[in-house]
Amino acid sequence: MLFNFVIEGNIAQAPELRFTDSGVAVCNLRLMYNGRYRNNAGQWVDGRTVAIDLTCWRQLAERAAELKKGDTIIAEIGDDLRAESRNNYTTLRATAQNVSVSMRWHPAASLREARPTSEQRPHLSEVPADGGYSTGIPQPA
């Protein structure tokens, strides 16, 4: 069986980062999705608003905590998806497997450090045939 659920929406409130007693990072995000469609007259109409409460763990939690209210994100949801309804308002709750910034409506910038250029990396001819990596095991002379 395959479960694959991806949703795009806006962060509705500032992410909340906390830590468990054992020091594991947990971040809660509230994502809002509001579908739009054209009615018979051709006018845009707002659809029903759905809230998704996401829980992120460990490194994903620490990275997600850097997001801001209003950011549009894409979230891959785990298989623990559950729904709650109160006062004609549906809330989904799930664990996020991955969160990324959507660039559909706004630009985003990567914070990843650049990889070394080919001039900074050793050439194949400079790497010993054994790989040149220390394994911690004494090698015969």
Short mmCIF file of all heavy atoms in Angstrom, two decimals, residues 7-68:
data_model
loop_
_atom_site.label_atom_id
_atom_site.label_comp_id
_atom_site.label_asym_id
_atom_site.label_seq_id
_atom_site.Cartn_x
_atom_site.Cartn_y
_atom_site.Cartn_z
N ILE A 7 0.41 18.75 0.20
CA ILE A 7 -0.49 19.91 0.19
C ILE A 7 0.33 21.19 0.19
O ILE A 7 1.43 21.24 0.76
CB ILE A 7 -1.46 19.87 1.38
CG1 ILE A 7 -2.54 20.92 1.20
CG2 ILE A 7 -0.74 20.02 2.70
CD1 ILE A 7 -3.78 20.68 2.01
N GLU A 8 -0.21 22.22 -0.46
CA GLU A 8 0.40 23.54 -0.48
C GLU A 8 -0.54 24.49 0.24
O GLU A 8 -1.75 24.44 0.03
CB GLU A 8 0.60 24.01 -1.92
CG GLU A 8 1.22 25.40 -2.02
CD GLU A 8 1.32 25.86 -3.45
OE1 GLU A 8 0.26 25.98 -4.11
OE2 GLU A 8 2.44 26.10 -3.90
N GLY A 9 0.01 25.33 1.08
CA GLY A 9 -0.80 26.30 1.79
C GLY A 9 0.07 27.34 2.46
O GLY A 9 1.31 27.29 2.37
N ASN A 10 -0.56 28.28 3.14
CA ASN A 10 0.14 29.36 3.82
C ASN A 10 0.24 29.08 5.31
O ASN A 10 -0.73 28.60 5.92
CB ASN A 10 -0.57 30.69 3.60
CG ASN A 10 -0.57 31.08 2.14
OD1 ASN A 10 0.39 30.83 1.42
ND2 ASN A 10 -1.65 31.69 1.69
N ILE A 11 1.38 29.45 5.89
CA ILE A 11 1.54 29.31 7.33
C ILE A 11 0.68 30.37 8.00
O ILE A 11 0.81 31.56 7.71
CB ILE A 11 3.01 29.44 7.74
CG1 ILE A 11 3.83 28.31 7.11
CG2 ILE A 11 3.16 29.43 9.26
CD1 ILE A 11 5.31 28.39 7.38
N ALA A 12 -0.23 29.94 8.87
CA ALA A 12 -1.24 30.84 9.46
C ALA A 12 -0.77 31.54 10.72
O ALA A 12 -1.31 32.59 11.08
CB ALA A 12 -2.51 30.06 9.76
N GLN A 13 0.21 31.00 11.41
CA GLN A 13 0.74 31.63 12.61
C GLN A 13 2.20 31.25 12.74
O GLN A 13 2.65 30.29 12.11
CB GLN A 13 -0.06 31.22 13.85
CG GLN A 13 -0.10 29.74 14.11
CD GLN A 13 -1.15 29.36 15.14
OE1 GLN A 13 -2.22 29.94 15.17
NE2 GLN A 13 -0.84 28.38 15.95
N ALA A 14 2.93 31.99 13.53
CA ALA A 14 4.37 31.74 13.67
C ALA A 14 4.62 30.31 14.13
O ALA A 14 3.92 29.80 15.02
CB ALA A 14 4.97 32.72 14.67
N PRO A 15 5.58 29.61 13.51
CA PRO A 15 5.90 28.25 13.94
C PRO A 15 6.31 28.22 15.40
O PRO A 15 6.94 29.16 15.91
CB PRO A 15 7.07 27.86 13.04
CG PRO A 15 6.94 28.74 11.85
CD PRO A 15 6.38 30.03 12.37
N GLU A 16 5.95 27.15 16.07
CA GLU A 16 6.24 27.00 17.50
C GLU A 16 7.25 25.87 17.69
O GLU A 16 6.93 24.71 17.45
CB GLU A 16 4.95 26.67 18.24
CG GLU A 16 5.11 26.37 19.70
CD GLU A 16 3.83 25.81 20.31
OE1 GLU A 16 2.74 26.22 19.90
OE2 GLU A 16 3.95 24.94 21.19
N LEU A 17 8.47 26.23 18.10
CA LEU A 17 9.52 25.24 18.33
C LEU A 17 9.65 24.97 19.82
O LEU A 17 9.69 25.90 20.63
CB LEU A 17 10.86 25.74 17.78
CG LEU A 17 12.06 24.82 17.98
CD1 LEU A 17 11.89 23.53 17.18
CD2 LEU A 17 13.35 25.53 17.58
N ARG A 18 9.70 23.71 20.16
CA ARG A 18 9.93 23.32 21.55
C ARG A 18 10.78 22.06 21.55
O ARG A 18 11.07 21.49 20.50
CB ARG A 18 8.62 23.11 22.30
CG ARG A 18 7.70 22.10 21.71
CD ARG A 18 6.33 22.06 22.42
NE ARG A 18 5.41 21.23 21.71
CZ ARG A 18 5.35 19.91 21.80
NH1 ARG A 18 6.18 19.26 22.59
NH2 ARG A 18 4.48 19.22 21.10
N PHE A 19 11.18 21.60 22.73
CA PHE A 19 12.01 20.42 22.84
C PHE A 19 11.40 19.47 23.86
O PHE A 19 10.88 19.91 24.88
CB PHE A 19 13.43 20.80 23.26
CG PHE A 19 14.16 21.59 22.20
CD1 PHE A 19 14.05 22.96 22.13
CD2 PHE A 19 14.94 20.94 21.25
CE1 PHE A 19 14.70 23.69 21.15
CE2 PHE A 19 15.58 21.67 20.26
CZ PHE A 19 15.47 23.04 20.21
N THR A 20 11.46 18.18 23.58
CA THR A 20 10.97 17.18 24.52
C THR A 20 11.94 17.12 25.70
O THR A 20 13.03 17.70 25.66
CB THR A 20 10.87 15.80 23.86
OG1 THR A 20 12.19 15.36 23.52
CG2 THR A 20 9.97 15.82 22.64
N ASP A 21 11.57 16.40 26.75
CA ASP A 21 12.43 16.27 27.91
C ASP A 21 13.77 15.62 27.55
O ASP A 21 14.78 15.89 28.20
CB ASP A 21 11.74 15.43 29.00
CG ASP A 21 10.55 16.17 29.59
OD1 ASP A 21 10.50 17.41 29.49
OD2 ASP A 21 9.67 15.50 30.16
N SER A 22 13.78 14.81 26.51
CA SER A 22 15.02 14.15 26.09
C SER A 22 15.81 14.98 25.07
O SER A 22 16.81 14.54 24.54
CB SER A 22 14.72 12.76 25.51
OG SER A 22 13.86 12.87 24.40
N GLY A 23 15.33 16.21 24.77
CA GLY A 23 16.06 17.12 23.91
C GLY A 23 15.73 17.03 22.43
O GLY A 23 16.42 17.62 21.60
N VAL A 24 14.68 16.31 22.06
CA VAL A 24 14.30 16.19 20.65
C VAL A 24 13.47 17.41 20.25
O VAL A 24 12.51 17.77 20.92
CB VAL A 24 13.49 14.89 20.41
CG1 VAL A 24 13.03 14.79 18.96
CG2 VAL A 24 14.33 13.67 20.79
N ALA A 25 13.85 18.03 19.13
CA ALA A 25 13.14 19.22 18.64
C ALA A 25 11.80 18.84 18.02
O ALA A 25 11.70 17.85 17.28
CB ALA A 25 13.99 19.94 17.60
N VAL A 26 10.77 19.64 18.34
CA VAL A 26 9.42 19.46 17.79
C VAL A 26 8.92 20.84 17.38
O VAL A 26 9.00 21.79 18.14
CB VAL A 26 8.44 18.88 18.84
CG1 VAL A 26 7.07 18.67 18.22
CG2 VAL A 26 8.96 17.60 19.43
N CYS A 27 8.42 20.94 16.15
CA CYS A 27 7.88 22.22 15.67
C CYS A 27 6.45 22.00 15.19
O CYS A 27 6.18 21.06 14.43
CB CYS A 27 8.73 22.77 14.53
SG CYS A 27 8.16 24.39 13.93
N ASN A 28 5.56 22.86 15.65
CA ASN A 28 4.16 22.81 15.21
C ASN A 28 3.91 23.96 14.24
O ASN A 28 4.27 25.10 14.51
CB ASN A 28 3.21 22.92 16.41
CG ASN A 28 3.33 21.70 17.30
OD1 ASN A 28 3.39 20.59 16.83
ND2 ASN A 28 3.38 21.93 18.60
N LEU A 29 3.30 23.61 13.11
CA LEU A 29 2.95 24.59 12.08
C LEU A 29 1.46 24.48 11.81
O LEU A 29 0.92 23.38 11.75
CB LEU A 29 3.67 24.27 10.76
CG LEU A 29 5.17 24.37 10.70
CD1 LEU A 29 5.66 23.80 9.37
CD2 LEU A 29 5.61 25.80 10.82
N ARG A 30 0.81 25.60 11.64
CA ARG A 30 -0.58 25.61 11.20
C ARG A 30 -0.60 26.12 9.77
O ARG A 30 -0.20 27.24 9.48
CB ARG A 30 -1.46 26.48 12.07
CG ARG A 30 -2.87 26.58 11.44
CD ARG A 30 -3.88 26.96 12.43
NE ARG A 30 -4.28 25.74 13.11
CZ ARG A 30 -5.40 25.62 13.79
NH1 ARG A 30 -6.21 26.64 13.90
NH2 ARG A 30 -5.70 24.51 14.37
N LEU A 31 -1.05 25.27 8.87
CA LEU A 31 -1.11 25.56 7.46
C LEU A 31 -2.56 25.76 7.07
O LEU A 31 -3.42 24.99 7.50
CB LEU A 31 -0.50 24.37 6.70
CG LEU A 31 -0.23 24.48 5.23
CD1 LEU A 31 0.86 25.51 4.97
CD2 LEU A 31 0.21 23.13 4.70
N MET A 32 -2.86 26.80 6.31
CA MET A 32 -4.23 27.05 5.86
C MET A 32 -4.29 26.90 4.34
O MET A 32 -3.43 27.42 3.64
CB MET A 32 -4.69 28.45 6.24
CG MET A 32 -4.67 28.72 7.73
SD MET A 32 -5.79 27.70 8.68
CE MET A 32 -7.28 28.61 8.46
N TYR A 33 -5.31 26.20 3.90
CA TYR A 33 -5.54 26.02 2.47
C TYR A 33 -6.95 26.49 2.16
O TYR A 33 -7.91 26.12 2.84
CB TYR A 33 -5.39 24.55 2.07
CG TYR A 33 -5.85 24.29 0.67
CD1 TYR A 33 -5.06 24.62 -0.42
CD2 TYR A 33 -7.11 23.76 0.42
CE1 TYR A 33 -5.49 24.41 -1.71
CE2 TYR A 33 -7.55 23.54 -0.87
CZ TYR A 33 -6.73 23.87 -1.93
OH TYR A 33 -7.18 23.67 -3.21
N ASN A 34 -7.07 27.34 1.14
CA ASN A 34 -8.37 27.84 0.75
C ASN A 34 -8.49 27.68 -0.76
O ASN A 34 -7.85 28.40 -1.52
CB ASN A 34 -8.52 29.31 1.14
CG ASN A 34 -9.91 29.84 0.90
OD1 ASN A 34 -10.71 29.24 0.20
ND2 ASN A 34 -10.21 30.96 1.51
N GLY A 35 -9.27 26.71 -1.18
CA GLY A 35 -9.45 26.47 -2.61
C GLY A 35 -10.29 27.57 -3.24
O GLY A 35 -11.12 28.19 -2.59
N ARG A 36 -10.05 27.82 -4.51
CA ARG A 36 -10.85 28.80 -5.26
C ARG A 36 -11.32 28.14 -6.54
O ARG A 36 -10.63 27.29 -7.09
CB ARG A 36 -10.01 30.03 -5.61
CG ARG A 36 -9.55 30.79 -4.37
CD ARG A 36 -8.87 32.07 -4.74
NE ARG A 36 -9.92 33.03 -5.04
CZ ARG A 36 -9.75 34.13 -5.74
NH1 ARG A 36 -8.59 34.42 -6.24
NH2 ARG A 36 -10.76 34.95 -5.97
N TYR A 37 -12.46 28.55 -6.99
CA TYR A 37 -13.00 28.01 -8.24
C TYR A 37 -13.85 29.07 -8.91
O TYR A 37 -14.25 30.06 -8.30
CB TYR A 37 -13.81 26.74 -7.98
CG TYR A 37 -15.03 26.96 -7.10
CD1 TYR A 37 -16.27 27.21 -7.67
CD2 TYR A 37 -14.92 26.91 -5.71
CE1 TYR A 37 -17.38 27.42 -6.88
CE2 TYR A 37 -16.03 27.12 -4.92
CZ TYR A 37 -17.26 27.37 -5.50
OH TYR A 37 -18.36 27.59 -4.72
N ARG A 38 -14.13 28.87 -10.18
CA ARG A 38 -14.98 29.79 -10.92
C ARG A 38 -16.42 29.27 -10.88
O ARG A 38 -16.67 28.10 -11.12
CB ARG A 38 -14.54 29.91 -12.37
CG ARG A 38 -13.26 30.69 -12.52
CD ARG A 38 -13.00 30.95 -14.01
NE ARG A 38 -11.71 31.55 -14.20
CZ ARG A 38 -11.51 32.86 -14.29
NH1 ARG A 38 -12.51 33.69 -14.21
NH2 ARG A 38 -10.31 33.34 -14.47
N ASN A 39 -17.36 30.17 -10.59
CA ASN A 39 -18.77 29.77 -10.58
C ASN A 39 -19.32 29.82 -12.01
O ASN A 39 -18.58 30.10 -12.96
CB ASN A 39 -19.59 30.64 -9.61
CG ASN A 39 -19.59 32.11 -10.01
OD1 ASN A 39 -19.24 32.48 -11.13
ND2 ASN A 39 -19.99 32.97 -9.07
N ASN A 40 -20.59 29.55 -12.16
CA ASN A 40 -21.20 29.53 -13.49
C ASN A 40 -21.13 30.87 -14.20
O ASN A 40 -21.16 30.93 -15.43
CB ASN A 40 -22.66 29.07 -13.41
CG ASN A 40 -22.75 27.61 -13.03
OD1 ASN A 40 -21.80 26.86 -13.24
ND2 ASN A 40 -23.88 27.20 -12.47
N ALA A 41 -21.04 31.97 -13.45
CA ALA A 41 -20.93 33.30 -14.04
C ALA A 41 -19.49 33.66 -14.40
O ALA A 41 -19.23 34.73 -14.92
CB ALA A 41 -21.50 34.34 -13.07
N GLY A 42 -18.55 32.74 -14.10
CA GLY A 42 -17.15 32.99 -14.42
C GLY A 42 -16.40 33.77 -13.38
O GLY A 42 -15.26 34.16 -13.59
N GLN A 43 -17.03 34.04 -12.22
CA GLN A 43 -16.38 34.80 -11.15
C GLN A 43 -15.65 33.84 -10.21
O GLN A 43 -16.09 32.71 -9.97
CB GLN A 43 -17.42 35.59 -10.35
CG GLN A 43 -18.16 36.61 -11.19
CD GLN A 43 -19.35 37.17 -10.44
OE1 GLN A 43 -20.02 36.46 -9.69
NE2 GLN A 43 -19.63 38.45 -10.66
N TRP A 44 -14.52 34.33 -9.66
CA TRP A 44 -13.79 33.53 -8.69
C TRP A 44 -14.53 33.52 -7.36
O TRP A 44 -14.98 34.54 -6.87
CB TRP A 44 -12.39 34.10 -8.48
CG TRP A 44 -11.44 33.75 -9.59
CD1 TRP A 44 -11.01 34.57 -10.57
CD2 TRP A 44 -10.84 32.48 -9.83
NE1 TRP A 44 -10.17 33.90 -11.42
CE2 TRP A 44 -10.05 32.61 -10.98
CE3 TRP A 44 -10.91 31.25 -9.19
CZ2 TRP A 44 -9.32 31.55 -11.50
CZ3 TRP A 44 -10.17 30.19 -9.71
CH2 TRP A 44 -9.40 30.35 -10.86
N VAL A 45 -14.64 32.34 -6.77
CA VAL A 45 -15.31 32.16 -5.49
C VAL A 45 -14.36 31.40 -4.56
O VAL A 45 -13.74 30.42 -4.97
CB VAL A 45 -16.62 31.36 -5.67
CG1 VAL A 45 -17.29 31.11 -4.33
CG2 VAL A 45 -17.54 32.06 -6.64
N ASP A 46 -14.24 31.90 -3.31
CA ASP A 46 -13.42 31.19 -2.33
C ASP A 46 -14.13 29.92 -1.91
O ASP A 46 -15.32 29.93 -1.60
CB ASP A 46 -13.15 32.06 -1.10
CG ASP A 46 -12.17 33.18 -1.39
OD1 ASP A 46 -11.38 33.03 -2.35
OD2 ASP A 46 -12.20 34.18 -0.68
N GLY A 47 -13.38 28.83 -1.88
CA GLY A 47 -13.92 27.56 -1.41
C GLY A 47 -13.79 27.45 0.10
O GLY A 47 -13.49 28.43 0.79
N ARG A 48 -14.00 26.27 0.59
CA ARG A 48 -13.92 26.01 2.01
C ARG A 48 -12.47 26.07 2.49
O ARG A 48 -11.57 25.56 1.83
CB ARG A 48 -14.50 24.63 2.27
CG ARG A 48 -14.66 24.29 3.69
CD ARG A 48 -15.44 23.02 3.83
NE ARG A 48 -15.60 22.70 5.23
CZ ARG A 48 -16.20 21.65 5.67
NH1 ARG A 48 -16.73 20.79 4.83
NH2 ARG A 48 -16.30 21.44 6.96
N THR A 49 -12.26 26.69 3.64
CA THR A 49 -10.92 26.78 4.22
C THR A 49 -10.66 25.53 5.07
O THR A 49 -11.50 25.12 5.85
CB THR A 49 -10.79 28.03 5.11
OG1 THR A 49 -11.01 29.18 4.30
CG2 THR A 49 -9.41 28.12 5.73
N VAL A 50 -9.49 24.96 4.87
CA VAL A 50 -9.07 23.79 5.64
C VAL A 50 -7.78 24.14 6.36
O VAL A 50 -6.87 24.70 5.76
CB VAL A 50 -8.86 22.57 4.72
CG1 VAL A 50 -8.36 21.38 5.52
CG2 VAL A 50 -10.14 22.22 3.99
N ALA A 51 -7.71 23.81 7.62
CA ALA A 51 -6.49 24.01 8.41
C ALA A 51 -5.79 22.66 8.56
O ALA A 51 -6.43 21.63 8.76
CB ALA A 51 -6.82 24.57 9.78
N ILE A 52 -4.47 22.69 8.44
CA ILE A 52 -3.68 21.49 8.64
C ILE A 52 -2.66 21.80 9.73
O ILE A 52 -1.83 22.71 9.58
CB ILE A 52 -2.95 21.06 7.35
CG1 ILE A 52 -3.94 20.79 6.24
CG2 ILE A 52 -2.11 19.82 7.59
CD1 ILE A 52 -4.01 21.88 5.24
N ASP A 53 -2.75 21.10 10.84
CA ASP A 53 -1.78 21.25 11.92
C ASP A 53 -0.69 20.21 11.70
O ASP A 53 -0.94 19.00 11.77
CB ASP A 53 -2.44 21.05 13.28
CG ASP A 53 -3.33 22.22 13.65
OD1 ASP A 53 -3.10 23.33 13.13
OD2 ASP A 53 -4.26 22.03 14.45
N LEU A 54 0.51 20.68 11.40
CA LEU A 54 1.63 19.81 11.11
C LEU A 54 2.58 19.74 12.28
O LEU A 54 2.85 20.75 12.94
CB LEU A 54 2.40 20.32 9.89
CG LEU A 54 1.67 20.40 8.57
CD1 LEU A 54 2.55 21.04 7.52
CD2 LEU A 54 1.24 19.01 8.13
N THR A 55 3.11 18.58 12.52
CA THR A 55 4.15 18.38 13.52
C THR A 55 5.41 17.93 12.79
O THR A 55 5.37 16.98 12.01
CB THR A 55 3.74 17.32 14.55
OG1 THR A 55 2.51 17.72 15.16
CG2 THR A 55 4.80 17.15 15.62
N CYS A 56 6.50 18.65 13.03
CA CYS A 56 7.79 18.30 12.45
C CYS A 56 8.71 17.87 13.58
O CYS A 56 8.65 18.43 14.69
CB CYS A 56 8.41 19.50 11.75
SG CYS A 56 7.39 20.23 10.46
N TRP A 57 9.59 16.93 13.32
CA TRP A 57 10.49 16.40 14.33
C TRP A 57 11.95 16.58 13.94
O TRP A 57 12.28 16.66 12.78
CB TRP A 57 10.22 14.91 14.55
CG TRP A 57 8.90 14.65 15.18
CD1 TRP A 57 7.71 14.45 14.55
CD2 TRP A 57 8.62 14.59 16.58
NE1 TRP A 57 6.71 14.26 15.46
CE2 TRP A 57 7.23 14.34 16.72
CE3 TRP A 57 9.39 14.73 17.73
CZ2 TRP A 57 6.63 14.21 17.96
CZ3 TRP A 57 8.78 14.59 18.97
CH2 TRP A 57 7.42 14.34 19.06
N ARG A 58 12.82 16.67 14.92
CA ARG A 58 14.26 16.69 14.82
C ARG A 58 14.77 17.83 13.93
O ARG A 58 14.38 18.96 14.11
CB ARG A 58 14.77 15.32 14.39
CG ARG A 58 14.44 14.24 15.43
CD ARG A 58 14.81 12.85 14.99
NE ARG A 58 14.45 11.87 16.00
CZ ARG A 58 13.20 11.45 16.22
NH1 ARG A 58 12.20 11.91 15.50
NH2 ARG A 58 12.95 10.56 17.17
N GLN A 59 15.67 17.53 12.99
CA GLN A 59 16.26 18.59 12.16
C GLN A 59 15.21 19.31 11.32
O GLN A 59 15.30 20.52 11.13
CB GLN A 59 17.34 18.02 11.25
CG GLN A 59 18.62 17.70 11.97
CD GLN A 59 19.69 17.23 11.02
OE1 GLN A 59 19.41 16.66 9.97
NE2 GLN A 59 20.95 17.47 11.38
N LEU A 60 14.23 18.58 10.84
CA LEU A 60 13.15 19.22 10.08
C LEU A 60 12.44 20.25 10.96
O LEU A 60 12.08 21.32 10.50
CB LEU A 60 12.16 18.18 9.55
CG LEU A 60 11.00 18.73 8.73
CD1 LEU A 60 11.50 19.48 7.50
CD2 LEU A 60 10.06 17.60 8.33
N ALA A 61 12.25 19.94 12.24
CA ALA A 61 11.60 20.87 13.17
C ALA A 61 12.42 22.15 13.31
O ALA A 61 11.87 23.26 13.27
CB ALA A 61 11.42 20.21 14.53
N GLU A 62 13.72 22.01 13.46
CA GLU A 62 14.56 23.19 13.64
C GLU A 62 14.58 24.05 12.38
O GLU A 62 14.59 25.28 12.46
CB GLU A 62 15.97 22.75 14.04
CG GLU A 62 15.98 22.11 15.43
CD GLU A 62 17.37 21.68 15.87
OE1 GLU A 62 18.36 22.31 15.43
OE2 GLU A 62 17.46 20.73 16.65
N ARG A 63 14.56 23.42 11.22
CA ARG A 63 14.53 24.19 9.97
C ARG A 63 13.17 24.83 9.75
O ARG A 63 13.07 25.98 9.32
CB ARG A 63 14.89 23.28 8.80
CG ARG A 63 16.33 22.82 8.86
CD ARG A 63 16.66 21.87 7.74
NE ARG A 63 18.03 21.41 7.89
CZ ARG A 63 18.39 20.14 7.76
NH1 ARG A 63 17.51 19.22 7.45
NH2 ARG A 63 19.65 19.80 7.92
N ALA A 64 12.10 24.10 10.04
CA ALA A 64 10.74 24.63 9.85
C ALA A 64 10.47 25.81 10.78
O ALA A 64 9.71 26.71 10.44
CB ALA A 64 9.71 23.53 10.08
N ALA A 65 11.12 25.83 11.94
CA ALA A 65 10.92 26.92 12.89
C ALA A 65 11.42 28.25 12.34
O ALA A 65 11.02 29.31 12.82
CB ALA A 65 11.62 26.59 14.21
N GLU A 66 12.26 28.21 11.31
CA GLU A 66 12.78 29.44 10.71
C GLU A 66 11.82 30.05 9.70
O GLU A 66 12.02 31.17 9.24
CB GLU A 66 14.13 29.16 10.05
CG GLU A 66 15.20 28.76 11.06
CD GLU A 66 16.54 28.46 10.39
OE1 GLU A 66 16.74 28.88 9.23
OE2 GLU A 66 17.36 27.80 11.04
N LEU A 67 10.76 29.33 9.36
CA LEU A 67 9.76 29.86 8.43
C LEU A 67 8.95 30.95 9.10
O LEU A 67 8.93 31.06 10.33
CB LEU A 67 8.86 28.73 7.94
CG LEU A 67 9.56 27.64 7.12
CD1 LEU A 67 8.65 26.44 6.94
CD2 LEU A 67 10.03 28.21 5.79
N LYS A 68 8.25 31.73 8.31
CA LYS A 68 7.49 32.87 8.83
C LYS A 68 6.01 32.72 8.53
O LYS A 68 5.62 32.07 7.55
CB LYS A 68 7.98 34.17 8.19
CG LYS A 68 9.46 34.41 8.29
CD LYS A 68 9.83 34.92 9.65
CE LYS A 68 11.27 35.35 9.72
NZ LYS A 68 12.19 34.35 10.17
#
